[in-house]
Amino acid sequence: MIFPTFVRHIFGSMKKTYLLFALLPLFAACSSKIQITEAHYERAETFLQANISKLVYHLNVQPNWLADSSGFWHVTQTRQGKRFFLTDLVLQSTTELFDHVLLAQKLAEKTGKTVDAADLPFSMIRFEGKNLVLFRFDEVTWKYNLESLELIRQDQQERSQPGLSPDGKLQAFTKDFNLFVRNLETGEEQQLSNGGKYQYEYANTYAWSDIMVGEGATRPENLFVNWSPDSRKLLTYIADLSKAQKMYLLDFSVDTLFRPRLLSYYRGSPGDTTVVYYLPVIFDLETGTETAIDVPPIPHFIGVSFVWSENADSLHALYAHRGFKKADVLKIDAATGKTNVLLSETSDTSVEYSSLILQRIGSDKVLFSSQKSGWYHLYLHDWNTGNLIKQVTNGEYVVKSVLHVDEEKEIIWFVAGGREPGRNPYYNHLYRVNFDGSGMKLLTPENAHHQVSLSPCKEFIVDNYSRVDLPTISVVRKMTGGEVVFKVSEADASDLFVTGWRPPLQFTAKARDGVTDIYGVIYQPLDFNPRMKYPLIDYSYTGPHTSITPKSFSDGIFNIINPFRAFGFAVMVVDGMGTAQRSKAFRNVSYRNMGFSLDCHVSAIQQLGGIYKWIDTTRVGIFGHSAGGYDAGRAMLQYPEIYKVGVASAADHDHRMEKAWWPEMYMGYPVGDFYHEQSNVTNAHKLQGRLLIAHGAIDENVNPSATYKLAEYLIRAQKDFDMLILPGRNHSFGRTDGDYFTKVRWNYFIRHLLGAEPVHNYRFRTILKEE
């Protein structure tokens, strides 16, 4: 009766528990049929994020810098629980910020509530001076004096003041669809606009997730004003909703028997012209004039961010044209609204404008990134003419961000990947370079993924570096040369390793073209035996705007992959051609061709099967969410000889039914036949394996209509499939610890890929609030 004994000890002695875990595959091996018990689920729960986070200590240092740059505070998990630390750069020391037990006692006394010293009920603090710490608890702001140890409830709570001018004297607000300004000293109100009306509304932008409830419902108010630095002008948008069409949802989670709530929101699909438009205007408060900026109406799903000059006589902006084949750097005259195109980035596929770097340097220079060489690089231009001064960086690597620019010394600090030979090209490294391209220096030399934060004084950097197989080392470096000043902490994963967890194996494979290297990781089952054969699950998200293969130690731990290992699955993650953070040619492979992004995954699976004999390539499954859900559905239809089981959640099964910006950027604009040809809906008749499609009923990010439409076409083709609609769930289901769909997804692969019977009605021991 080993299993009942094991269950009784699951939350007891850790060492005893995991010795018993190690016996599980032996029992399974003695049986002709794999047996899954509650013990497997309980072990899988260990690797849900809420639990696994308590098994690794000092995982990362996320610095919150003190205003004088003398140090920083951070919060992290320790053996004693969650702890706040203060690092002193002068003393080169890191100590606990306060006595956590004492503060917990004081909070309990003041509130009458139970407060756990190992898990204080707040994670953010704010310093006032050197000794006063502010935090929020129980909907109240508290002040804690680090010297006197006095805890004070702040009765007058802080309230935000939307629309406040930089000088604090004026406040913008809306009334009857128009924009007003109130003088906070005199109370006098000034009406700035007069043309506002229903669905043509000043300064009330439409937020991405604004949901309207019921028929004829009004939308939430979202005041938007962009004040000039001198508080004499402001920019805002007219939101034109007059021709915009809505998408709809039905919420069955409300407590009514027969009538669900009707929810609606404005959202355009690829090619739609019936969308929300923004018309940017400038108001001069001294003259009362309203000036329209000379740009076409801006589709809500694109948006433009305008930046004021210091003297408030002009603005600049990065303006992306619909279809995303061109992005312009605009200079705008604040008095006339006239625009001048200073720089442009163009592409025969698409310009990922949100990845472009645009940074003013003084009054006469601008730093701009471009892919015109085939790689993201930095170019220095004249701000007045747009003429190129110098290409600052070059080579076969990707510049990802600019950390700092020293205008006086003419030095740029930037983060890039792929420059160091023989290393994973996705690893971030920090560099410095002179304006003229000389003096290139690597500041983070370790062969690892580096995540850096710059001090306000621009003299120090906190660097967290790690790999999936290297626990995080957190150090303070000098800004100038990258020398390590001192180590802040080093992650301790010893308790995690006691559970049987091991880092994933990193691999390099050849892409679909047989030439290009692609990078991935494969997680082995927890009780790995090289003499056994294990089914493989492909966790996929080939969205061209990102890459998902874990690079850091924390990425390797905090994911929805690890729990699958407890059931005897191997799990693969790989970034194939068509995804981000490589060359433009690498990403362009998926343009108008996202339906074939899994070609590289298939190639990797075949190569891994040849290298690792413990991978059973006859039992391959796939799952993904959102764009990854499209992948999972597509895999089952396009590659039935490879993928036998799929779980597609919150999927955009037909890009024509998606939100406009994403398909228009990566599948193309205007909409062509390739949309139809690569739709899971129109290819539904090809299904051979076992497919589960799932969606949240109130998902406003990816409307469930495409999942319904795929179900309709599967039924027409008389295909067997499984479907789950989760009432009251939005786009984030299945990504929360212990939520219902997590178990559903496990069970689907247990039953159909592992060939075992799941435990009926298993209840999570870790019960967390669902989204």
Side-chain angles (χ1 to χ4, degrees):
M1 299 297 290
I2 186 68
F3 293 128
T5 302
F6 171 74
V7 172
R8 285 197 299 271
H9 287 285
I10 182 65
F11 296 114
S13 167
M14 183 176 292
K15 291 183 178 179
K16 182 185 293 185
T17 295
Y18 294 111
L19 284 172
L20 289 168
F21 271 136
L23 297 176
L24 289 175
L26 299 179
F27 284 91
C30 294
S31 171
S32 60
K33 182 176 177 61
I34 298 172
Q35 294 182 352
I36 295 296
T37 71
E38 287 199 2
H40 290 86
Y41 288 84
E42 290 165 356
R43 194 179 191 192
E45 276 195 74
T46 303
F47 304 103
L48 294 175
Q49 183 165 335
N51 297 328
I52 200 171
S53 64
K54 293 180 173 60
L55 296 174
V56 184
Y57 315 118
H58 301 284
L59 180 58
N60 283 308
V61 172
Q62 301 299 329
N64 297 272
W65 293 95
L66 303 183
D68 62 1
S69 290
S70 62
F72 57 85
W73 67 267
H74 75 278
V75 60
T76 191
Q77 188 73 23
T78 71
R79 288 187 183 277
Q80 292 72 41
K82 185 172 74 174
R83 288 291 185 265
F84 289 81
F85 289 90
L86 180 66
T87 295
D88 188 313
L89 295 183
V90 177
L91 299 177
Q92 298 185 14
S93 63
T94 299
T95 57
E96 288 194 19
L97 181 57
F98 44 73
D99 185 327
H100 292 68
V101 174
L102 180 60
L103 180 54
Q105 291 172 351
K106 289 179 177 291
L107 276 173
E109 291 169 1
K110 293 277 188 178
T111 63
K113 296 187 175 182
T114 300
V115 179
D116 184 358
D119 190 16
L120 290 175
F122 56 89
S123 295
M124 288 299 300
I125 61 173
R126 177 166 57 88
F127 271 85
E128 276 190 4
K130 290 188 175 181
N131 296 312
L132 203 60
V133 171
L134 281 70
F135 58 88
R136 295 277 298 174
F137 169 56
D138 199 27
E139 300 182 356
V140 173
T141 298
W142 299 85
K143 292 185 177 182
Y144 189 51
N145 192 305
L146 299 177
E147 279 194 342
S148 67
L149 305 181
E150 184 180 12
L151 179 64
I152 304 170
R153 174 191 173 110
Q154 185 170 303
D155 291 324
Q156 186 173 358
Q157 299 301 309
E158 301 174 359
R159 294 180 181 177
S160 62
Q161 292 184 285
L164 195 65
S165 62
D167 62 11
K169 297 179 180 180
L170 303 171
Q171 187 172 20
F173 66 97
T174 59
K175 182 170 61 176
D176 298 329
F177 310 113
N178 282 298
L179 179 62
F180 294 73
V181 168
R182 179 184 297 112
N183 188 310
L184 296 178
E185 295 176 349
T186 66
E188 181 182 357
E189 295 182 357
Q190 177 185 1
Q191 183 169 352
L192 297 180
S193 69
N194 294 286
K197 58 183 179 179
Y198 176 64
Q199 293 194 328
Y200 190 83
E201 306 170 12
Y202 280 81
N204 186 14
T205 55
Y206 182 73
W208 185 255
S209 296
D210 277 354
I211 300 291
M212 287 149 278
V213 181
E215 297 182 28
T218 57
R219 67 188 183 93
E221 292 190 5
N222 301 290
L223 175 69
F224 172 79
V225 291
N226 182 358
W227 285 94
S228 62
D230 61 6
S231 300
R232 295 181 178 180
K233 302 182 184 74
L234 60 78
L235 174 143
T236 190
Y237 294 119
I238 303 169
D240 184 356
L241 301 95
S242 59
K243 297 179 180 178
Q245 289 187 325
K246 292 181 177 180
M247 291 186 179
Y248 295 90
L249 301 163
L250 289 177
D251 182 7
F252 288 90
S253 66
V254 293
D255 293 329
T256 57
L257 291 178
F258 306 112
R259 293 182 177 85
R261 287 195 308 173
L262 175 67
L263 307 179
S264 62
Y265 57 101
Y266 292 106
R267 192 67 52 83
S269 293
D272 285 353
T273 57
T274 51
V275 300
V276 176
Y277 288 99
Y278 289 155
L279 290 71
V281 293
I282 299 170
F283 288 98
D284 187 316
L285 272 65
E286 292 182 348
T287 64
T289 56
E290 175 183 342
T291 303
I293 294 180
D294 185 21
V295 292
I298 302 168
H300 153 257
F301 59 84
I302 297 179
V304 176
S305 178
F306 293 89
V307 180
W308 285 97
S309 62
E310 290 185 5
N311 62 9
D313 64 353
S314 66
L315 306 93
H316 70 269
L318 185 62
Y319 178 87
H321 296 254
R322 188 163 186 182
F324 304 103
K325 292 186 181 296
K326 185 179 182 183
D328 296 326
V329 177
L330 301 179
K331 295 178 69 175
I332 303 102
D333 187 311
T336 65
K338 297 296 183 183
T339 61
N340 173 47
V341 177
L342 183 72
L343 299 166
S344 292
E345 175 77 348
T346 60
S347 173
D348 56 354
T349 55
S350 62
V351 174
E352 293 178 293
Y353 70 102
S354 61
S355 298
L356 294 175
I357 296 166
L358 174 62
Q359 184 166 337
R360 286 280 307 271
I361 303 176
S363 60
D364 60 350
K365 297 182 182 69
V366 61
L367 197 62
F368 189 53
S369 65
S370 171
Q371 279 190 305
K372 57 188 175 184
S373 70
W375 302 80
Y376 273 118
H377 279 297
L378 297 175
Y379 296 78
L380 190 64
H381 293 264
D382 185 290
W383 178 247
N384 298 310
T385 65
N387 293 335
L388 177 66
I389 298 173
K390 183 70 177 180
Q391 180 176 347
V392 181
T393 61
N394 63 82
E396 294 187 354
Y397 62 95
V398 176
V399 174
K400 300 179 182 181
S401 63
V402 169
L403 186 68
H404 177 59
V405 176
D406 187 323
E407 180 184 355
E408 182 179 343
K409 295 181 180 179
E410 297 192 339
I411 301 174
I412 301 165
W413 283 260
F414 67 94
V415 175
R419 187 174 183 272
E420 304 309 309
R423 297 187 181 182
N424 187 318
Y426 295 93
Y427 288 167
N428 287 348
H429 288 283
L430 180 66
Y431 301 85
R432 56 171 282 180
V433 66
N434 297 326
F435 278 16
D436 63 3
S438 67
M440 178 76 74
K441 181 177 176 60
L442 171 65
L443 302 179
T444 52
E446 297 84 1
N447 182 11
H449 182 62
H450 294 260
Q451 297 166 292
V452 297
S453 172
L454 177 63
S455 67
C457 67
K458 311 298 187 293
E459 294 182 9
F460 300 99
I461 297 165
V462 171
D463 177 18
N464 293 278
Y465 65 89
S466 68
R467 299 186 303 267
V468 292
D469 60 351
L470 174 67
T472 313
I473 299 172
S474 303
V475 299
V476 173
R477 296 181 184 273
K478 289 184 179 179
M479 176 74 166
T480 51
E483 300 90 349
V484 173
V485 181
F486 66 98
K487 182 191 294 185
V488 180
S489 64
E490 186 169 346
D492 176 2
S494 57
D495 282 354
L496 175 62
F497 280 94
V498 169
T499 69
W501 185 92
R502 294 294 180 268
L505 305 175
Q506 301 180 71
F507 70 83
T508 302
K510 292 301 179 184
R512 57 193 283 178
D513 62 2
V515 176
T516 305
D517 285 338
I518 56 175
Y519 295 78
V521 297
I522 184 166
Y523 289 80
Q524 296 171 312
L526 290 178
D527 297 306
F528 175 71
N529 183 341
R531 295 186 297 275
M532 295 181 66
K533 284 277 192 178
Y534 297 98
L536 177 68
I537 297 175
D538 180 0
Y539 173 49
S540 180
Y541 188 101
T542 64
H545 61 290
T546 190
S547 59
I548 68 164
T549 298
K551 298 175 283 294
S552 67
F553 192 70
S554 57
D555 288 344
I557 294 171
F558 296 147
N559 54 53
I560 58 179
I561 298 168
N562 277 299
F564 281 97
R565 308 169 74 182
F567 300 105
F569 294 109
V571 186
M572 178 192 81
V573 191
V574 66
D575 290 304
M577 297 181 75
T579 55
Q581 299 190 44
R582 300 285 292 274
S583 69
K584 182 169 176 54
F586 188 93
R587 204 272 285 167
N588 280 351
V589 167
S590 61
Y591 185 71
R592 295 187 175 182
N593 210 27
M594 285 198 291
F596 299 94
S597 293
L598 290 173
D599 285 354
C600 287
H601 290 230
V602 170
S603 177
I605 290 168
Q606 293 170 337
Q607 293 171 66
L608 289 172
I611 297 170
Y612 299 119
K613 301 305 179 184
W614 46 266
I615 295 176
D616 186 350
T617 55
T618 67
R619 290 187 295 164
V620 178
I622 184 171
F623 79 95
H625 192 83
S626 195
Y630 168 79
D631 290 343
R634 181 71 175 170
M636 299 301 296
L637 305 174
Q638 186 70 21
Y639 312 93
E641 72 284 358
I642 300 294
Y643 296 101
K644 308 304 181 184
V645 181
V647 177
S649 55
D652 49 336
H653 289 293
D654 191 313
H655 293 122
R656 292 169 295 185
M657 303 173 71
E658 245 276 55
K659 51 188 175 287
W661 77 265
W662 197 81
E664 287 188 6
M665 178 174 286
Y666 298 114
M667 276 296 284
Y669 175 84
V671 174
D673 290 343
F674 40 88
Y675 276 80
H676 176 83
E677 293 162 359
Q678 296 173 51
S679 164
N680 288 345
V681 174
T682 54
N683 286 281
H685 62 281
K686 298 179 180 179
L687 179 64
Q688 295 183 30
R690 298 301 304 246
L691 174 63
L692 167 63
I693 55 177
H695 222 112
I698 58 172
D699 185 345
E700 44 48 69
N701 187 2
V702 177
N703 193 282
S705 56
T707 290
Y708 288 123
K709 184 62 70 174
L710 175 58
E712 177 188 353
Y713 274 66
L714 288 168
I715 292 169
R716 288 184 186 180
Q718 298 190 41
K719 295 294 182 178
D720 293 330
F721 67 100
D722 296 286
M723 180 175 182
L724 175 65
I725 301 297
L726 294 102
R729 293 292 178 267
N730 57 22
H731 193 63
S732 63
F733 74 94
R735 294 187 283 190
T736 302
D737 282 353
D739 80 343
Y740 180 74
F741 187 70
T742 297
K743 183 181 68 171
V744 170
R745 187 168 49 211
W746 292 351
N747 286 347
Y748 204 77
F749 286 111
I750 289 169
R751 176 174 284 117
H752 299 298
L753 192 62
L754 193 63
E757 186 62 26
V759 172
H760 187 60
N761 287 335
Y762 177 79
R763 292 182 61 84
F764 283 108
R765 270 57 173 171
T766 303
I767 303 297
L768 298 180
K769 181 180 179 182
E770 296 209 19
E771 62 282 324

